[in-house]
Amino acid sequence: MKRILNLRNIGIIAHVDAGKTTVTERMLYYTGLIHKLGNVDDGNTVTDSDPQEAKRGITISSSAVSTKWQFDAKMYDINIIDTPGHVDFAIEVERSLRILDGAVAVFCAASGVQSQSESVWSQSDKYEVPKIGFINKMDRIGADFFKTVDQIEYTFGVQTLLLQIPIGSGDDFEGVIDLISRKALYWNKADSGRTWNETQIPEDYLNIVQVRRSRLLEQIAEQDDIFMQLYLEDKDFSQEAINEAIRRITLLRKAVPILCGSAFKNIGVQPLLNAVGLYLPSPLDLDAIEGFDPIQETVQIRKRLSTETRTAFVFKVLTDKYIGKLAMVRLYSGIIKPGDSFINSRTQQKERVSRIIRIQADKMIEMEQAEAGDICGLVGVKSVTTGDTLSELNSPFVLEAIQFPNPVISLAIEPKYRNDEKKFADALSKLASEDPSLHVKVDQQTGQTLFLGMGELHLEVRLETLRSQFGIEVNKGEPKVSYMEQLVKTVTHRELFKKQSGGDGQYADISFEIGPRDDNEEGLLFINNIKGGVIPREFIPNVEKGFQKAMVSGVLLGYPVKGMKVTLFDGGTHATDSHGYDFETAAEKGFKVAAMEAGIELLEPIMIAEIICPEEFLGKITGDVNRRRGIINSIEDSDNKQKVIAEVPLKETFGYISTVRTLTSGRGTVSLQMHAYKPVPANIAEGMIA
């Protein structure tokens, strides 16, 4: 029980280049797990161990590592997952946050809140993950701590609790002032920041510290009833009482504690580690997990205890050349030992665990057992995929699976050498099993193998993996956009399907209303309004299945329909000739006719482009955005540069990063994020259809 109380499962989340990996690296160094500092620019960090990550200087795959940190007479076990910041690899953030208990959101003090900052924050809110904020890179030119805090509050609609303020900024950044202890902290350069000095607050900071600390205590009192009693008694609060109140507020997600520093300059990381232990939850701080019993068909809960029935969730599947398939799991309850067996709630197959592995980035350490709260790898489980629940053999239990986004871009690929064809198929299968946002399919019309993903970089990285890891060279076509189709209006249609020429015939009669969804969601919204049993109950699922199948290929150019609403209100059957598959066929045929009556528009993926460039290149950038059918939403100052936020069709962004670099003489950057599907302009759609 004590071990679980002091266990922290946390993720490091941020926009690309905010310093996540450097923060993680410093955490591992100061906790004693590593004895030499690595840097992203040198390609020698622990969590970016993949050669492509070292080469590109970005995190591609979420990386798990476990360490220990002693503070205030407590030893904390900390499982850290360093997540990617690039939008093309957002699925790695999604599946990490699905199983984590807390998160450290890292922001660049110069760039502030950026587009992917919003995405990862939204993903963490989706899973109700408590967070602390770390404003990094206070040593950067243009760093502005208070401006970044204001952006966090405005963008995310949250209240922040400033626990520290910086001493200086940019080249003048020296250390931080702890508002709780009222001490100035300065780190020693001679030992790479392993030690620091606590001194009195500099005189020119005394007023701002008094104002900020008073405001902090007011905010805590406003959010926490227990602390409010102490506050009203007007006593001098102990640091322990303040920290306990901040912890309660953080766990309830009422506010976000904020710290600051410069991980690269080795300033401020130890207080961040302290904050992880003090304020972020242990598994026991969270509610019991809720799942579904597929046999009883009832909702059940399980406590997050080692004494509970075993329940594990598969959040990632890896293929290792030495040990084969490795399932990364979060063990929510119970204990696992080598030789134990589970039931896979999705396949109903028995899975036996041969080994349990603790992942330390690119290293693997054998474990004698795993307990509730642990994040570990299981060897021997052969038929699992991401999102599976593994539960006790006689006690099936299903946790909510992870929802993966649809790919937005595709490439036609083929092996360069005929001898690689079998190896090519096996390699693609392994890649797709490891990365659920990567799809592989064969075009029925051309016979080409299509590689579908979340962006150019995503596909580029996976193709490089084919070459480096599997030794397969490929030929590739031009990237293609994954469009969607959408019904324009609602119409009513009757479809009569019958084939009665002797023998066992076919007959199905359905009347339905079909049109776009009212809620703008994706997928099929099917409403059964059949009265009096004119269509037997057992045939209704066949009608729904028929519409679902029809949506996959649309009617205009064969792209899937984004979302539609179908209301089945009348129909008929034949006493002997009606079967379930007849109603499925009727729905498919009826859809194609009714969809043309309703009208179809073509939708294309629109990206949010965030372009940062020196002011002298602003005209070139805005002109280029306009040429790409882009819409500029805003232009603002950012770190002595100009930040352009624009909506640009995905089709117009191929090769965009290189173009921006060319237009700005290498001084501009761009990040792209999927925004929404919007109608293709009529003149362009007509050309595509023609």
Side-chain angles (χ1 to χ4, degrees):
M1 181 74 78
K2 183 179 178 182
R3 177 184 174 275
I4 300 180
L5 270 173
N6 291 338
L7 177 63
R8 302 290 182 268
N9 291 314
I10 66 166
I12 312 295
I13 61 173
H15 183 90
V16 65
D17 202 34
K20 298 179 310 304
T21 300
T22 305
V23 169
T24 305
E25 187 78 5
R26 298 308 186 261
M27 284 180 163
L28 302 183
Y29 179 68
Y30 296 130
T31 57
L33 186 71
I34 60 175
H35 304 289
K36 183 180 178 183
L37 281 176
N39 288 307
V40 172
D41 291 342
D42 298 330
N44 60 354
T45 59
V46 171
T47 52
D48 280 358
S49 55
D50 183 278
Q52 287 203 71
E53 294 178 317
K55 174 184 173 184
R56 298 172 187 273
I58 62 170
T59 302
I60 292 170
S61 179
S62 55
S63 182
V65 65
S66 302
T67 191
K68 293 179 182 291
W69 177 246
Q70 186 164 0
F71 170 67
D72 202 19
K74 290 182 180 179
M75 180 64 78
Y76 294 100
D77 288 310
I78 306 177
N79 293 322
I80 304 171
I81 294 186
D82 177 25
T83 63
H86 199 286
V87 65
D88 283 19
F89 308 103
I91 186 60
E92 293 289 333
V93 184
E94 182 84 17
R95 59 181 171 187
S96 297
L97 289 169
R98 170 67 174 78
I99 54 93
L100 291 172
D101 302 330
V104 176
V106 179
F107 300 90
C108 172
S111 302
V113 176
Q114 297 168 278
S115 58
Q116 189 63 4
S117 308
E118 297 183 51
S119 294
V120 296
W121 191 283
S122 175
Q123 286 171 298
S124 68
D125 280 348
K126 174 181 173 182
Y127 296 112
E128 300 182 345
V129 176
K131 292 175 284 292
I132 55 181
F134 183 69
I135 298 180
N136 192 29
K137 300 192 177 184
M138 282 302 307
D139 59 307
R140 284 272 300 272
I141 295 173
D144 191 328
F145 175 76
F146 294 108
K147 179 181 177 183
T148 302
V149 171
D150 289 342
Q151 287 181 350
I152 292 170
E153 293 187 340
Y154 175 78
T155 305
F156 306 126
V158 297
Q159 186 175 97
T160 59
L161 301 176
L162 301 193
L163 309 188
Q164 300 174 340
I165 61 172
I167 303 173
S169 64
D171 291 339
D172 299 325
F173 179 59
E174 298 180 88
V176 303
I177 296 173
D178 187 314
L179 295 179
I180 298 176
S181 66
R182 286 178 281 197
K183 295 288 184 182
L185 312 179
Y186 298 92
W187 274 258
N188 297 317
K189 295 180 181 179
D191 61 1
S192 300
R194 275 189 177 276
T195 60
W196 62 96
N197 300 313
E198 292 189 4
T199 68
Q200 296 300 313
I201 298 167
E203 281 193 26
D204 50 347
Y205 279 86
L206 287 173
N207 286 339
I208 188 173
V209 167
Q210 183 177 352
V211 171
R212 288 290 176 177
R213 190 174 193 273
S214 296
R215 176 61 184 142
L216 172 63
L217 297 178
E218 287 176 11
Q219 288 177 300
I220 296 172
E222 289 168 1
Q223 297 285 358
D224 185 77
D225 292 340
I226 297 174
F227 191 80
M228 175 62 86
Q229 294 300 318
L230 298 174
Y231 188 78
L232 292 175
E233 291 171 11
D234 200 24
K235 291 183 177 179
D236 192 18
F237 318 105
S238 69
Q239 291 185 43
E240 184 180 11
I242 296 172
N243 284 328
E244 287 176 354
I246 294 171
R247 177 175 179 77
R248 289 190 293 269
I249 291 168
T250 305
L251 297 188
L252 292 172
R253 299 171 57 240
K254 290 182 175 180
V256 179
I258 300 291
L259 299 91
C260 64
S262 168
F264 182 72
K265 294 289 187 179
N266 307 317
I267 297 174
V269 176
Q270 291 94 335
L272 179 60
L273 282 163
N274 296 344
V276 167
L278 283 171
Y279 310 130
L280 291 181
S282 79
L284 295 180
D285 290 312
L286 304 173
D287 294 335
I289 56 169
E290 185 177 287
F292 182 75
D293 184 333
I295 295 178
Q296 301 292 333
E297 295 189 351
T298 56
V299 173
Q300 288 191 353
I301 61 169
R302 288 188 179 169
K303 296 178 181 178
R304 299 169 184 257
L305 299 172
S306 299
T307 52
E308 263 277 17
T309 306
R310 282 181 302 194
T311 307
F313 183 81
V314 180
F315 70 95
K316 191 170 185 177
V317 176
L318 304 172
T319 304
D320 184 84
K321 59 183 176 182
Y322 299 113
I323 63 176
K325 196 169 192 176
L326 179 72
M328 293 292 296
V329 303
R330 164 69 188 266
L331 183 59
Y332 282 105
S333 58
I335 295 174
I336 312 174
K337 295 181 179 180
D340 287 347
S341 294
F342 286 96
I343 189 77
N344 184 331
S345 299
R346 177 180 59 85
T347 64
Q348 296 303 305
Q349 290 184 6
K350 182 179 176 181
E351 300 279 2
R352 183 180 180 275
V353 177
S354 60
R355 297 164 63 192
I356 305 172
I357 303 291
R358 183 178 299 284
I359 306 295
Q360 295 290 62
D362 60 338
K363 296 183 178 65
M364 299 187 182
I365 301 171
E366 295 276 349
M367 297 174 65
E368 293 182 3
Q369 68 175 32
E371 300 180 40
D374 278 335
I375 295 172
C376 59
L378 304 182
V379 181
V381 288
K382 297 176 180 177
S383 302
V384 299
T385 61
T386 300
D388 283 350
T389 305
L390 303 177
S391 56
E392 203 79 47
L393 290 177
N394 58 354
S395 185
F397 187 76
V398 183
L399 294 168
E400 183 183 357
I402 304 171
Q403 300 299 315
F404 301 115
N406 293 319
V408 297
I409 185 174
S410 67
L411 287 175
I413 60 173
E414 63 181 13
K416 187 174 285 186
Y417 307 108
R418 183 166 292 182
N419 292 341
D420 286 339
E421 285 185 357
K422 185 181 185 306
K423 194 165 63 167
F424 176 69
D426 292 342
L428 290 180
S429 176
K430 288 177 181 177
L431 282 179
S433 70
E434 291 183 15
D435 183 354
S437 64
L438 184 72
H439 293 202
V440 179
K441 72 177 185 180
V442 176
D443 189 304
Q444 298 300 320
Q445 293 180 328
T446 65
Q448 290 178 309
T449 299
L450 298 180
F451 210 41
L452 300 95
M454 303 309 299
E456 274 190 289
L457 181 61
H458 184 207
L459 295 185
E460 184 183 315
V461 164
R462 297 310 178 213
L463 287 176
E464 175 63 21
T465 303
L466 273 179
R467 188 193 65 77
S468 61
Q469 188 172 320
F470 297 98
I472 301 171
E473 300 283 349
V474 300
N475 296 320
K476 60 182 182 180
E478 290 296 314
K480 293 185 178 180
V481 173
S482 295
Y483 293 91
M484 299 188 92
E485 297 181 11
Q486 180 66 62
L487 302 182
V488 176
K489 62 182 180 180
T490 299
V491 298
T492 300
H493 180 76
R494 179 193 177 197
E495 185 68 23
L496 177 62
F497 171 65
K498 63 178 181 178
K499 289 186 178 179
Q500 295 169 303
S501 56
D504 189 15
Q506 294 176 272
Y507 186 94
D509 184 7
I510 56 173
S511 293
F512 57 89
E513 186 180 79
I514 186 171
R517 289 183 64 148
D518 304 324
D519 54 11
N520 204 33
E521 294 292 321
E522 294 189 12
L524 173 65
L525 176 60
F526 182 80
I527 300 171
N528 174 24
N529 273 352
I530 292 296
K531 301 290 192 296
V534 291
I535 297 177
R537 185 181 301 171
E538 63 267 26
F539 293 154
I540 302 299
N542 296 98
V543 178
E544 183 175 3
K545 183 179 178 182
F547 282 114
Q548 286 175 332
K549 286 173 65 177
M551 285 182 70
V552 173
S553 56
V555 294
L556 200 59
L557 289 175
Y559 293 109
V561 175
K562 181 175 180 283
M564 72 180 189
K565 176 181 177 182
V566 173
T567 303
L568 181 67
F569 61 84
D570 201 2
T573 61
H574 188 277
T576 58
D577 290 348
S578 290
H579 313 84
Y581 55 80
D582 298 333
F583 282 88
E584 191 174 317
T585 302
E588 288 188 71
K589 289 179 175 293
F591 163 79
K592 293 188 182 300
V593 177
M596 295 306 291
E597 295 175 12
I600 296 283
E601 62 183 359
L602 202 59
L603 305 177
E604 64 180 338
I606 303 294
M607 311 298 285
I608 290 289
E610 184 178 282
I611 309 132
I612 297 176
C613 67
E615 188 167 3
E616 62 261 36
F617 300 108
L618 184 60
K620 290 183 178 180
I621 289 296
T622 55
D624 186 65
V625 167
N626 291 329
R627 281 192 294 275
R628 294 173 185 270
R629 296 195 283 123
I631 299 172
I632 295 174
N633 292 338
S634 66
I635 300 174
E636 57 191 64
D637 290 329
S638 173
D639 188 16
N640 298 321
K641 294 183 179 180
Q642 296 294 307
K643 182 197 292 185
V644 179
I645 307 292
E647 296 180 20
V648 185
L650 174 64
K651 181 178 175 58
E652 307 294 338
T653 65
F654 297 150
Y656 194 32
I657 295 173
S658 297
T659 301
V660 168
R661 287 176 182 157
T662 301
L663 290 174
T664 61
S665 300
R667 297 169 64 192
T669 62
V670 60
S671 63
L672 297 166
Q673 179 184 350
M674 177 60 189
H675 173 51
Y677 273 86
K678 293 189 176 182
V680 177
N683 61 321
I684 295 175
E686 288 169 6
M688 293 173 64
I689 295 168

XYZ file of all heavy atoms in Angstrom, residues 293-296 300 302 309-310 341-344 348 350 391-397:
176
model
N -18.783 -5.766 -17.707
C -18.751 -7.226 -17.646
C -19.528 -7.761 -18.846
O -20.760 -7.638 -18.907
C -19.404 -7.710 -16.349
C -19.327 -9.226 -16.184
O -19.264 -9.938 -17.218
O -19.334 -9.702 -15.042
N -18.836 -8.364 -19.854
C -19.533 -8.795 -21.074
C -20.473 -9.975 -20.865
O -21.346 -10.210 -21.701
C -18.377 -9.167 -22.019
C -17.241 -9.504 -21.121
C -17.396 -8.644 -19.909
N -20.290 -10.720 -19.785
C -21.169 -11.864 -19.525
C -22.441 -11.398 -18.826
O -23.562 -11.695 -19.249
C -20.433 -12.928 -18.682
C -19.257 -13.503 -19.477
C -21.402 -14.050 -18.282
C -18.435 -14.519 -18.713
N -22.282 -10.648 -17.737
C -23.436 -10.134 -17.005
C -24.077 -8.938 -17.709
O -25.207 -8.561 -17.396
C -23.003 -9.718 -15.594
C -22.381 -10.832 -14.769
C -23.386 -11.891 -14.396
O -24.586 -11.627 -14.290
N -22.905 -13.120 -14.200
N -19.194 -2.510 -14.056
C -18.541 -2.907 -12.822
C -17.388 -1.958 -12.526
O -16.899 -1.260 -13.410
C -17.996 -4.337 -12.926
C -19.062 -5.412 -12.925
C -18.457 -6.801 -12.756
O -17.238 -6.974 -12.760
N -19.309 -7.804 -12.602
N -13.514 -1.662 -10.320
C -12.447 -2.371 -9.618
C -11.537 -1.354 -8.952
O -11.147 -0.359 -9.565
C -11.649 -3.251 -10.584
C -12.468 -4.460 -11.018
C -11.687 -5.459 -11.815
N -12.565 -6.583 -12.162
C -12.269 -7.525 -13.031
N -11.108 -7.485 -13.674
N -13.105 -8.509 -13.266
N -8.982 -8.141 -8.226
C -8.895 -9.006 -9.408
C -8.016 -8.353 -10.466
O -8.116 -7.155 -10.723
C -10.303 -9.244 -9.994
O -11.145 -9.738 -8.960
C -10.246 -10.269 -11.115
N -7.157 -9.145 -11.112
C -6.205 -8.595 -12.081
C -6.896 -7.962 -13.290
O -7.768 -8.574 -13.901
C -5.276 -9.704 -12.588
C -4.189 -10.068 -11.624
C -3.302 -11.135 -12.195
N -4.062 -12.338 -12.535
C -3.512 -13.508 -12.799
N -2.208 -13.631 -12.794
N -4.245 -14.547 -13.094
N -1.872 -16.365 -16.535
C -2.678 -16.283 -17.760
C -3.811 -15.288 -17.586
O -4.339 -15.100 -16.485
C -3.250 -17.657 -18.129
O -2.212 -18.548 -18.472
N -4.164 -14.670 -18.692
C -5.273 -13.717 -18.754
C -6.274 -14.189 -19.798
O -5.976 -15.036 -20.639
C -4.776 -12.339 -19.205
C -4.007 -11.567 -18.182
C -2.625 -11.606 -18.164
C -4.665 -10.779 -17.256
C -1.905 -10.870 -17.246
C -3.953 -10.028 -16.331
C -2.576 -10.083 -16.319
N -7.441 -13.563 -19.791
C -8.373 -13.670 -20.912
C -8.377 -12.317 -21.618
O -8.447 -11.267 -20.970
C -9.809 -14.056 -20.452
C -10.706 -14.370 -21.650
C -10.433 -12.980 -19.597
C -10.442 -15.711 -22.239
N -8.229 -12.340 -22.947
C -8.333 -11.118 -23.736
C -9.816 -10.860 -23.964
O -10.494 -11.633 -24.650
C -7.596 -11.287 -25.068
C -7.575 -10.014 -25.896
O -8.479 -9.198 -25.812
N -6.546 -9.853 -26.702
N -11.554 -13.118 -26.526
C -11.918 -14.238 -25.652
C -10.868 -15.351 -25.676
O -11.148 -16.496 -25.308
C -13.301 -14.807 -26.028
C -14.454 -13.847 -25.835
C -14.537 -13.351 -24.399
O -14.602 -14.142 -23.455
N -14.507 -12.026 -24.233
N -7.206 -17.040 -24.448
C -6.346 -17.090 -23.271
C -4.946 -16.619 -23.666
O -4.417 -17.026 -24.696
C -6.302 -18.525 -22.732
C -5.479 -18.713 -21.475
C -5.547 -20.171 -21.035
C -4.662 -20.413 -19.826
N -4.701 -21.844 -19.408
N -7.884 -9.552 -18.493
C -8.489 -9.697 -17.172
C -8.399 -11.149 -16.703
O -7.987 -12.046 -17.439
C -9.951 -9.223 -17.192
O -10.688 -9.912 -18.170
N -8.797 -11.360 -15.448
C -8.757 -12.689 -14.833
C -9.540 -13.687 -15.684
O -10.571 -13.343 -16.265
C -9.366 -12.603 -13.440
C -8.946 -13.681 -12.486
C -7.571 -13.443 -11.890
O -7.295 -12.328 -11.451
O -6.785 -14.395 -11.893
N -9.049 -14.937 -15.744
C -9.668 -15.948 -16.616
C -11.153 -16.123 -16.333
O -11.960 -16.260 -17.242
C -8.944 -17.291 -16.452
C -7.517 -17.358 -17.016
C -6.893 -18.712 -16.708
C -7.533 -17.126 -18.523
N -11.521 -16.138 -15.065
C -12.932 -16.384 -14.722
C -13.688 -15.091 -14.412
O -14.779 -15.123 -13.849
C -13.020 -17.330 -13.516
C -12.296 -16.770 -12.303
O -11.637 -15.739 -12.401
N -12.414 -17.448 -11.164
N -13.091 -13.944 -14.775
C -13.729 -12.670 -14.453
C -13.496 -11.649 -15.565
O -12.756 -10.688 -15.395
C -13.169 -12.143 -13.125
O -13.842 -10.975 -12.726
N -14.132 -11.841 -16.733
C -13.909 -10.921 -17.861
C -14.358 -9.503 -17.528
O -15.356 -9.287 -16.836
C -14.759 -11.519 -18.981
C -15.770 -12.367 -18.294
C -15.116 -12.879 -17.056
N -13.598 -8.546 -18.043
C -13.817 -7.140 -17.701
C -13.275 -6.320 -18.859
O -12.151 -6.531 -19.301
C -13.050 -6.835 -16.409
C -13.292 -5.478 -15.816
C -14.454 -5.208 -15.125
C -12.335 -4.476 -15.916
C -14.658 -3.959 -14.537
C -12.527 -3.235 -15.345
C -13.700 -2.975 -14.648
